[in-house]
Amino acid sequence: MKKSKILYLFLSFFFIFIPLLGFRNNDFWDGVNVAYAFESKNYAAIDEYMVQGAYYLQYLIYKIFFIISEVFNFSYKYITCLFYAFVLYNLAYELEKFSKNILNLKGFFCILPGLLIIIFPIWSVLISSIFVSHVLFIYFVFLGSRLFFDKNLY
């Protein structure tokens, strides 16, 4: 599993982090509200939008991103890109553990789901920061499924 972790890290960096950094000039869709709030330093712009839309977890994540970006003095967009790469790396590793422990796959077939999830072309939608909670919840689904079905935990 050690080699697969390095492979996932390499692929996450080159297929998620680098492309997102290259295409992160502007935010899209609902992420425009977040970009406006960050650039104007008027966080009330997203306070009402996120709370009325019941995006409580996403609101908390954005607040944490804003605090980190202010402390280290760089754009929240870089933190978002790093977050996406980190979560997808962990998702790939979680899929490998799920495939090995729950589905009883062996060898390359354990690593294949993780590889496919990282290089899957759907991640082009991540150019918008609005998908922060969506990607995190996908990870939680697979983590919860593996923990639920893992017989070694009981």
Side-chain angles (χ1 to χ4, degrees), residues 36-56:
Y36 171 76
F38 179 76
E39 291 171 9
S40 68
K41 302 294 185 218
N42 180 11
Y43 301 125
I46 65 164
D47 290 348
E48 187 173 331
Y49 168 72
M50 291 286 176
V51 172
Q52 283 183 358
Y55 296 121
Y56 302 117

Side-chain angles (χ1 to χ4, degrees), residues 5 14-15 22 28-29 40 50 56 99 107 109 116 124 140 143:
K5 281 184 171 181
F14 283 105
F15 282 94
F28 296 98
W29 305 303
S40 68
M50 291 286 176
Y56 302 117
S99 299
F109 294 106
L116 291 176
S124 63
F140 286 155
L143 175 66

Side-chain angles (χ1 to χ4, degrees), residues 30-31 34 46 49-50 54-65 84 128-134 136-137:
D30 293 340
V34 178
I46 65 164
Y49 168 72
M50 291 286 176
Y55 296 121
Y56 302 117
L57 181 64
Q58 194 161 355
Y59 177 67
L60 177 66
I61 293 170
Y62 282 133
K63 286 291 201 177
I64 292 169
F65 285 1
Y84 282 142
S128 176
S129 64
I130 203 67
F131 294 107
V132 164
S133 64
H134 299 80
L136 185 62
F137 288 144

Side-chain angles (χ1 to χ4, degrees), residues 5 7 15-17 25 31 38 47 58 60 66 69-70 72 78 80 98 114-115 117 133:
K5 281 184 171 181
L7 179 62
F15 282 94
I16 306 296
F17 188 68
N25 294 335
F38 179 76
D47 290 348
Q58 194 161 355
L60 177 66
F66 288 160
S69 65
E70 287 178 2
F72 293 107
Y78 300 121
T80 306
F98 184 85
L115 295 175
I117 201 76
S133 64

